Amino acid sequence: MALADLSQKLGVDIDSGLLSLALTHRSWAYENGQVPHNERLEFLGDSVLGQAVTVRLFTAHPELDEGALAKRRASVVSTLALAEIARGIGLGRHLLLGRGEDLTGGRDKDSILADTMEAILGATYLSAGPDEATALVLRLVEPLLEDPERYGAAMDPKTSLQELAAHGAMLPPVYSVTSTGPDHDRMFTATVVVGDLAREGMGTSKKHAEMAAALSAWRELSGRA
């Protein structure tokens, strides 16, 4: 039922075995006898995503030069953008994670959510074919493609948040960062405060955590939450 619910949200019929594989993180695979996990599907999905977005931008924006097209593509396929899409469909609750990864907030980690979205695209390509995979990509990224301001926020959320704060006559954003876990697998949590708003973000580095927090705050303040 859970897989059927996810397929319905995605709007495409994906083979249940492939979809389960796409949702299987390596931490779960390791704890369950080194069963297959989703990284090969992620590799395929990355190419499906990149091609679909590239063709869409190229055909829809003949006025943009190569640099502008590359910037827009990078923002739409970025980890932060894909994680935002994943949260929008409630992907986190469907993930198969190892116990340790689950306990440390893996269901809401940008990197895991983004990688899983790419794996789902790979599974769609294999199960439903290239046309359906491309259609799924475009359905998922359309809100980002239609909101040019979000390009800058996805690429450089800290600068975008600072500009938004200045425009609203607020003090500059203030960040604080904590970390957990061993040195080889450390997870960072950043909190940004701007005006009366405080938002958190997580990442595998201080920089990524601050970017995630800044994007969350930017979305709230700009009315795109």
Side-chain angles (χ1 to χ4, degrees):
M1 289 299 293
L3 292 182
D5 177 61
L6 180 58
S7 289
Q8 185 175 19
K9 286 184 178 180
L10 292 169
V12 62
D13 187 19
I14 305 173
D15 174 80
S16 60
L18 282 171
L19 184 54
S20 294
L21 180 59
L23 297 170
T24 303
H25 188 255
R26 65 176 179 271
S27 62
W28 195 93
Y30 176 79
E31 291 183 10
N32 289 270
Q34 298 287 5
V35 299
H37 52 73
N38 64 7
E39 290 183 1
R40 281 176 52 85
L41 286 177
E42 175 195 337
F43 172 78
L44 175 60
D46 177 68
S47 293
V48 173
L49 172 68
Q51 182 182 44
V53 171
T54 297
V55 173
R56 168 66 165 76
L57 288 172
F58 182 87
T59 56
H61 296 284
E63 78 283 3
L64 297 179
D65 62 19
E66 179 188 4
L69 289 170
K71 182 178 180 180
R72 291 197 177 196
R73 179 180 61 190
S75 67
V76 172
V77 304
S78 71
T79 295
L80 289 173
L82 291 176
E84 178 182 350
I85 292 168
R87 291 188 182 98
I89 60 173
L91 184 61
R93 68 187 182 90
H94 297 285
L95 302 178
L96 293 176
L97 298 176
R99 185 171 181 273
E101 193 67 70
D102 200 2
L103 291 174
T104 55
R107 294 185 186 279
D108 197 46
K109 286 182 183 177
D110 286 344
S111 57
I112 291 178
L113 289 172
D115 291 346
T116 305
M117 282 305 313
E118 291 182 336
I120 287 174
L121 296 176
T124 304
Y125 182 94
L126 294 176
S127 180
D131 291 343
E132 285 293 332
T134 296
L136 175 58
V137 169
L138 297 181
R139 285 198 302 273
L140 292 173
V141 305
E142 196 63 32
L144 297 176
L145 291 170
E146 296 302 320
D147 188 358
E149 287 187 25
R150 190 169 276 184
Y151 296 130
M155 288 298 292
D156 190 356
K158 292 182 70 174
T159 297
S160 295
L161 180 60
Q162 185 170 342
E163 292 173 348
L164 192 60
H167 183 72
M170 292 180 282
L171 292 173
V174 176
Y175 296 86
S176 59
V177 181
T178 60
S179 63
T180 57
D183 289 343
H184 68 278
D185 191 25
R186 190 165 294 276
M187 178 57 57
F188 294 82
T189 300
T191 300
V192 60
V193 177
V194 53
D196 296 327
L197 180 71
R199 285 291 181 271
E200 288 189 349
M202 297 178 65
T204 54
S205 69
K206 177 182 176 182
K207 176 183 177 181
H208 288 156
E210 289 182 343
M211 289 174 65
L215 184 58
S216 177
W218 181 88
R219 289 201 302 260
E220 180 72 24
L221 290 174
S222 65
R224 293 172 171 82

